[in-house]
Amino acid sequence: MKKTVVLLFFIYQVYFVYGVRPFITDDARVVGFRLFQWESWFRFDREAGQYWHMFAYGVHKKIELTAGGVFGYFNSEPEKINFTYALPLIQGKFLFTEYGYKKPPGVGIVCGSFLPGGKGAFVQNDYGAFAFATVTQCIGKKENLLIHANIGFNYLYNNARNVFVPIWGVGAQVRTLGGMHLVMEYFSGDPYVPGSGAAYQAGIRHFFSDDLQIDATLGEGLKGAHPMPFWFSLGLRWVFHTFEKK
């Protein structure tokens, strides 16, 4: 009964709040100068339910700063559910070059840290940080195909030792009909969740406009010390022009 109540609560949150990061592989883009972005996504598997919120602001046409966190529940034992949350996650992205039709690939760099604040299973046990490069190639006048690639590392300070864990990912977004796109990726490691192994993810992404899009994906871990269980996610990306100078 408790599991049913918790699941219905999260579905309610997603449906009525619109809750897009379910895609782990990042793209070479920033929100834009003086623009504000809200990304929210829900992810559910047999072990946990996660509800993320990330808020980004464009401090420069090539720089965005992001902060956010996650709350949800974790099944520590059969029939036992523990609520948990973790914050803050802080991140900065710098864009070297923009991608576009008949242009060279866009290139950016992302650095950040998930500070060990919060309660329960989602809290990082050790201090950590991450850094990775992101590259995006655009094919087609209407961005018919976008190919993304990431490579970098998670840094963890564990038991007085410096540990570096490589992270990488390759993904694609394919335009189908109108604002509908197919998305797919293969990655190893999640910058936000150190220690996750190789996994795949695929689904759909719909653009209502350049400022509003939603995602729905399915994914599963393929290998690693603790392969991620099969998951389902829903997400939203919404850009606001409230702070844009007229």
Side-chain angles (χ1 to χ4, degrees):
M1 181 62 181
K2 288 183 178 180
K3 290 184 178 181
T4 301
V5 171
V6 172
L7 177 58
L8 289 175
F9 168 75
F10 279 96
I11 292 176
Y12 172 88
Q13 289 285 331
V14 171
Y15 185 79
F16 288 97
V17 186
Y18 291 103
V20 140
R21 194 236 182 196
F23 217 51
I24 306 300
T25 308
D26 207 346
D27 58 1
R29 59 165 293 279
V30 291
V31 62
F33 186 43
R34 296 182 183 271
L35 298 184
F36 176 80
Q37 175 180 278
W38 171 43
E39 284 185 299
S40 177
W41 66 95
F42 166 76
R43 175 169 155 172
F44 174 77
D45 57 49
R46 69 172 183 269
E47 296 179 350
Q50 306 173 28
Y51 191 32
W52 291 77
H53 290 280
M54 298 294 289
F55 304 94
Y57 181 68
V59 298
H60 185 273
K61 66 179 182 179
K62 290 191 175 184
I63 302 174
E64 72 175 27
L65 300 179
T66 302
V70 56
F71 73 89
Y73 68 91
F74 181 78
N75 297 325
S76 59
E77 299 174 11
E79 303 302 324
K80 185 176 182 180
I81 296 176
N82 292 317
F83 284 91
T84 175
Y85 68 94
L87 72 155
L89 188 150
I90 54 175
Q91 173 182 291
K93 181 191 280 190
F94 178 78
L95 186 65
F96 293 101
T97 59
E98 297 181 353
Y99 64 81
Y101 178 56
K102 291 187 176 180
K103 288 184 177 181
V107 179
I109 187 169
V110 181
C111 300
S113 178
F114 210 146
L115 302 179
K119 177 182 179 182
F122 291 171
V123 181
Q124 299 292 329
N125 293 325
D126 304 290
Y127 173 79
F130 56 85
F132 60 91
T134 178
V135 179
T136 296
Q137 178 63 63
C138 173
I139 300 174
K141 291 182 179 180
K142 297 182 178 181
E143 297 187 354
N144 304 81
L145 172 62
L146 295 177
I147 301 173
H148 312 294
N150 292 173
I151 186 167
F153 61 88
N154 275 115
Y155 162 76
L156 300 173
Y157 185 73
N158 190 326
N159 295 324
R161 294 188 304 114
N162 296 313
V163 180
F164 291 88
V165 181
I167 54 177
W168 55 264
V170 178
Q173 176 177 298
V174 183
R175 179 184 290 273
T176 56
L177 181 64
M180 187 65 68
H181 298 69
L182 298 178
V183 293
M184 60 208 79
E185 68 174 337
Y186 179 62
F187 63 92
S188 179
D190 184 338
Y192 296 177
V193 186
S196 55
Y200 75 91
Q201 186 170 202
I204 58 174
R205 173 173 293 164
H206 183 72
F207 287 78
F208 294 99
S209 71
D210 291 339
D211 297 333
L212 179 62
Q213 67 190 69
I214 59 174
D215 294 75
T217 67
L218 299 172
E220 186 175 21
L222 297 175
K223 57 184 178 180
H226 303 285
M228 293 182 287
F230 180 81
W231 74 80
F232 167 70
S233 70
L234 289 172
L236 162 97
R237 172 180 171 267
W238 201 341
V239 176
F240 298 87
H241 295 252
T242 306
F243 305 100
E244 188 176 18
K245 189 174 182 180
K246 305 299 183 181

